[in-house]
């Protein structure tokens, strides 16, 4: 099943790395709860959405919960799903820098006070920035 059984990046991509799964997680972070919410926000075909939601539930990224009305089930991020916040923010920030032309309009992530979220940068224990040039993968 795993593309590369010893690589955490490969396993993660196997679990949530397709376009639709990441957009479902993004929308769950932005308040989507129902099947209809996800379908309307993403434009995803219903059969693909049902498949991705099943996969995300099976891998404990999203869970089904009782809706406040008690009439339907809703979806909510699990702790594992919430842990993807930094991933989604980093993807967003990469897109802001590299997927838009200069001056091209796009949405902006802001904090609870309306300030733009600063760049997410991995840091060493001493607070210095880490890059691919200052880290190695130990196998």
């Amino acid at each position: 099943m795993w593309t590369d059984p010893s690589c955490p990046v490969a396993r993660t991509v196997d679990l949530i790395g397709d376009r639709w799964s990441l957009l479902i997680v993004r929308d769950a972070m932005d308040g989507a709860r129902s099947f209809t919410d996800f379908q309307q926000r993403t434009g995803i075909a219903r059969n693909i959405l049902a498949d991705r939601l099943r996969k995300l539930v099976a891998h404990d990224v999203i869970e089904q919960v009782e809706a406040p009305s008690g009439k339907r089930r809703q979806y909510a991020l699990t702790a594992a799903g919430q842990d993807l916040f930094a991933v989604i923010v980093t993807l967003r920030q990469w897109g802001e820098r590299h997927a838009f032309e200069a001056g091209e309009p796009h949405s902006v992530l802001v904090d609870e006070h309306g300030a733009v979220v600063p760049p997410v940068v991995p840091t060493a224990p001493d607070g210095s920035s880490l890059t691919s040039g200052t880290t190695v993968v130990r196998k």
Side-chain angles (χ1 to χ4, degrees):
M1 172 183 174
W2 303 114
T3 303
D4 181 347
S6 65
C7 177
V9 174
R11 280 199 180 197
T12 301
V13 170
D14 287 344
L15 293 174
I16 55 120
D18 70 277
R19 166 191 172 90
W20 296 120
S21 294
L22 286 170
L23 292 178
I24 290 166
V25 169
R26 173 205 64 185
D27 287 347
M29 289 180 181
D30 198 32
R33 295 290 173 263
S34 70
F35 187 94
T36 302
D37 288 342
F38 292 113
Q39 204 279 323
Q40 289 176 343
R41 289 174 185 224
T42 62
I44 186 174
R46 296 177 65 80
N47 63 320
I48 296 171
L49 176 57
D51 177 68
R52 294 313 187 277
L53 287 169
R54 273 193 299 277
K55 184 177 179 183
L56 292 168
V57 168
H59 292 289
D60 198 37
V61 175
I62 289 179
E63 63 185 342
Q64 285 192 298
V65 297
E66 198 67 37
S69 67
K71 293 182 178 179
R72 293 191 170 174
R73 306 277 288 164
Q74 290 185 330
Y75 296 92
L77 291 168
T78 62
Q82 292 171 10
D83 278 352
L84 288 167
F85 180 72
V87 173
I88 298 295
V89 171
T90 304
L91 282 170
R92 164 183 276 286
Q93 291 176 344
W94 185 93
E96 290 170 350
R97 288 190 305 274
H98 302 289
F100 290 87
E101 297 295 325
E104 187 178 359
H106 58 77
S107 62
V108 177
L109 183 65
V110 297
D111 68 14
E112 62 191 340
H113 305 291
V116 174
V117 173
V120 174
V121 178
T123 56
D126 68 2
S128 62
S129 295
L130 294 174
T131 69
S132 61
T134 60
T135 59
V136 296
V137 174
R138 187 177 299 151
K139 296 183 180 185

